[in-house]
């Protein structure tokens, strides 16, 4: 795949993440392609220019498609009984009639912006998934005890393997799809770099810290020579940008079947910066356990037909509700799904 074809797939993927699909036509990368024309041999310029024009035509057609799809979607009422995938999409960030965008959606837009500036693309997850993506592709064999950590909701309807569909208990269900979708990047010596901020579900006893429906952001990065230092630096940079101040992080060893080694990362309290022994956010500890991460297990790469001897990568999964609660000092996670106007109007 040459660089123009590769850019085409990157830009087509970006279409889904844009509030205005048309903005993809203004992508900086296209301008950069034009800028390289004068550096080429005169005999090559014509063919190169033609390829860029074809890329633009493909994008124009995809934008037109996307716009008509969105128009159609706007006029169809939400079908809460819709099977598999059809009701998973990022709503447009358009406040209506004096209302406001839900705080989690606002924060998700902010975090997508930070990761995009670091070269990641944003993808969506699903609200119903299958057992393969929830477990097998992530190196949890059938009967593995670690499956019990992810107790979630299942449908009574079975798929063609006789297994129930599942409400994803983490965004890691998207790892295999991301790896497959962007595998060609590796051939072109580009990394796979994607995040998935979306909804997740667990069968929890509800309290101020536990909700049945919550949000995670998954990160997946694969290339040659990726190491754990890059994982830690990426997350520290993200957290510092998100909180607008220098954040310290520390890692402890942990266990996930799909990463090896696995870590649990804590951050220095963004609320009191470790200075308030009575801080409600960190209980005066100064550190808060935030997220799971690690180096992608070779079996997870193999399940996506990527050679673990050639490529390595990191992954992380971070609870978005927790991030946002710490930013604003929100004391109860249940506010987010409560539809309480006095809470929502503050954002
Ligand atoms: N999916 C894990 C969880 O929700 C977090 C995680 C993601 C850990 C990616 C490692 C790598 O518990």
């Amino acid at each position: 795949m040459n660089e123009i074809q590769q850019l085409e797939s990157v830009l087509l993927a970006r279409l889904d993440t844009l509030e205005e699909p048309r903005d993809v036509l203004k992508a900086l990368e296209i301008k950069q392609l034009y800028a390289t024309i004068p550096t080429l041999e005169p005999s090559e310029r014509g063919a190169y220019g033609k390829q860029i024009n074809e890329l633009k035509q493909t994008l124009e057609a995809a934008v037109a498609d996307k716009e008509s799809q969105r128009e159609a979607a706007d006029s169809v009422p939400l079908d809460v009984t819709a099977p598999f995938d059809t009701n998973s999409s990022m709503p447009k960030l358009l406040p209506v009639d004096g209302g406001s965008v839900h705080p989690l959606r606002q924060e998700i837009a902010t975090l997508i912006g930070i990761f995009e500036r670091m070269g990641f693309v944003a993808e969506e997850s699903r609200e119903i998934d299958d057992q393969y993506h929830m477990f097998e592709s992530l190196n949890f064999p059938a009967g593995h005890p670690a499956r019990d950590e992810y107790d979630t909701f299942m449908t009574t309807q079975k798929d063609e393997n006789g297994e129930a569909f599942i409400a994803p208990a983490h965004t890691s269900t998207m790892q295999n799809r991301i790896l497959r979708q962007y595998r060609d990047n590796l051939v072109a010596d580009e990394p796979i770099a994607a995040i998935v901020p979306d909804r997740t579900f667990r069968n929890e006893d509800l309290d101020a810290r536990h909700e049945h429906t919550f949000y995670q952001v998954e990160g997946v990065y694969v290339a040659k020579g990726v190491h754990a230092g890059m994982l830690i630096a990426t997350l520290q940079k993200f957290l510092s940008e998100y909180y607008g101040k220098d954040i310290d992080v520390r890692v402890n060893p942990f266990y996930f079947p799909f990463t090896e080694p696995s870590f649990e990362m804590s951050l220095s309290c963004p609320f009191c910066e470790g200075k308030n022994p009575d801080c409600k956010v960190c209980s005066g500890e100064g550190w808060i356990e935030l997220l799971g991460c690690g180096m992608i297990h070779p079996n997870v790469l193999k399940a996506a037909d990527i050679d673990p001897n050639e490529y390595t990568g990191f992954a992380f999964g971070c609870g978005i509700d927790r991030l946002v609660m710490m930013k604003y000092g929100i004391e109860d996670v249940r506010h987010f799904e409560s539809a309480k106007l006095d809470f929502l109007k503050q954002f």
Side-chain angles (χ1 to χ4, degrees):
M1 214 193 238
N2 70 26
E3 97 191 278
I4 301 187
Q5 288 161 335
Q6 205 201 328
L7 179 61
E8 177 175 312
S9 54
V10 171
L11 292 178
L12 287 174
R14 191 179 302 165
L15 255 187
D16 280 322
T17 67
L18 291 174
E19 198 181 320
E20 271 308 324
R22 203 147 277 286
D23 286 348
V24 82
L25 301 172
K26 299 184 210 141
L28 197 59
E29 293 96 318
I30 302 180
K31 294 200 186 96
Q32 282 163 351
L33 288 182
Y34 279 114
T36 52
I37 295 181
T39 69
L40 298 173
E41 290 300 326
S43 60
E44 287 167 16
R45 291 181 193 167
Y48 196 81
K50 189 160 166 256
Q51 280 193 60
I52 306 179
N53 285 338
E54 284 166 1
L55 165 70
K56 285 199 81 173
Q57 282 163 10
T58 310
L59 289 175
E60 298 263 8
V63 167
D65 261 350
K66 176 92 336 184
E67 284 174 343
S68 56
Q69 264 175 30
R70 289 210 181 157
E71 252 167 52
D74 282 347
S75 57
V76 176
L78 177 69
D79 177 1
V80 291
T81 64
F84 211 74
D85 201 28
T86 54
N87 53 4
S88 163
S89 69
M90 296 273 186
K92 283 193 213 166
L93 293 178
L94 286 182
V96 269
D97 298 339
S100 58
V101 175
H102 190 280
L104 286 172
R105 283 290 167 198
Q106 295 181 31
E107 297 302 316
I108 287 173
T110 304
L111 72 86
I112 290 177
I114 298 171
F115 278 111
E116 280 185 348
R117 288 196 291 281
M118 293 199 269
F120 287 76
V121 292
E123 291 289 340
E124 287 174 22
S125 179
R126 306 174 169 218
E127 301 206 342
I128 289 288
D129 213 323
D130 55 29
Q131 308 255 350
Y132 176 77
H133 289 92
M134 180 67 214
F135 295 124
E136 274 88 358
S137 70
L138 291 167
N139 195 36
F140 291 83
H144 194 291
R147 288 188 178 208
D148 296 348
E149 296 289 314
Y150 298 89
D151 182 14
T152 178
F153 307 98
M154 305 213 186
T155 61
T156 44
Q157 196 187 345
K158 303 281 196 288
D159 65 12
E160 70 269 17
N161 303 319
E163 289 182 322
F165 292 104
I166 195 162
H170 53 178
T171 41
S172 302
T173 43
M174 293 302 291
Q175 281 194 16
N176 183 264
R177 295 190 183 95
I178 296 285
L179 294 174
R180 287 187 174 281
Q181 182 178 344
Y182 292 104
R183 203 171 38 192
D184 286 347
N185 289 14
L186 299 177
V187 182
D189 231 5
E190 292 281 323
I192 297 175
I195 56 160
V196 186
D198 215 335
R199 255 187 194 165
T200 42
F201 308 88
R202 289 197 195 170
N203 180 15
E204 296 276 13
D205 288 332
L206 307 189
D207 63 27
R209 291 162 61 95
H210 298 93
E211 176 58 290
H212 51 69
T213 302
F214 57 103
Y215 287 77
Q216 286 190 337
V217 55
E218 190 80 8
V220 176
Y221 187 92
V222 179
K224 282 191 177 142
V226 175
H227 56 77
M230 294 158 87
L231 160 66
I232 294 168
T234 303
L235 287 169
Q236 181 166 14
K237 178 79 187 150
F238 161 69
L239 292 168
S240 299
E241 291 279 313
Y242 181 73
Y243 289 112
K245 58 172 82 158
D246 285 342
I247 296 285
D248 276 341
V249 295
R250 67 179 189 193
V251 291
N252 287 317
F254 206 72
Y255 174 74
F256 298 103
F258 37 97
T259 45
E260 179 58 38
S262 304
F263 310 107
E264 185 171 62
M265 181 177 276
S266 307
L267 77 167
S268 56
C269 179
F271 213 69
C272 77
E273 299 176 9
K275 291 181 192 133
N276 178 3
D278 301 319
C279 176
K280 287 204 204 74
V281 174
C282 68
S283 319
E285 301 269 323
W287 291 96
I288 301 159
E289 281 168 8
L290 177 69
L291 60 88
C293 57
M295 301 304 291
I296 299 177
H297 194 288
N299 289 349
V300 174
L301 294 174
K302 279 189 215 151
D305 294 326
I306 293 174
D307 181 357
N309 294 318
E310 208 175 338
Y311 300 101
T312 49
F314 64 71
F316 58 84
C318 173
I320 297 177
D321 309 65
R322 291 283 308 282
L323 270 186
V324 177
M325 287 168 75
M326 285 191 269
K327 189 169 187 180
Y328 298 105
I330 297 168
E331 77 300 352
D332 193 325
V333 66
R334 291 168 296 189
H335 291 324
F336 288 127
E337 298 282 330
S338 69
K340 278 189 206 147
L341 283 182
D342 51 354
F343 171 73
L344 297 174
K345 276 185 178 155
Q346 297 175 43
F347 294 89

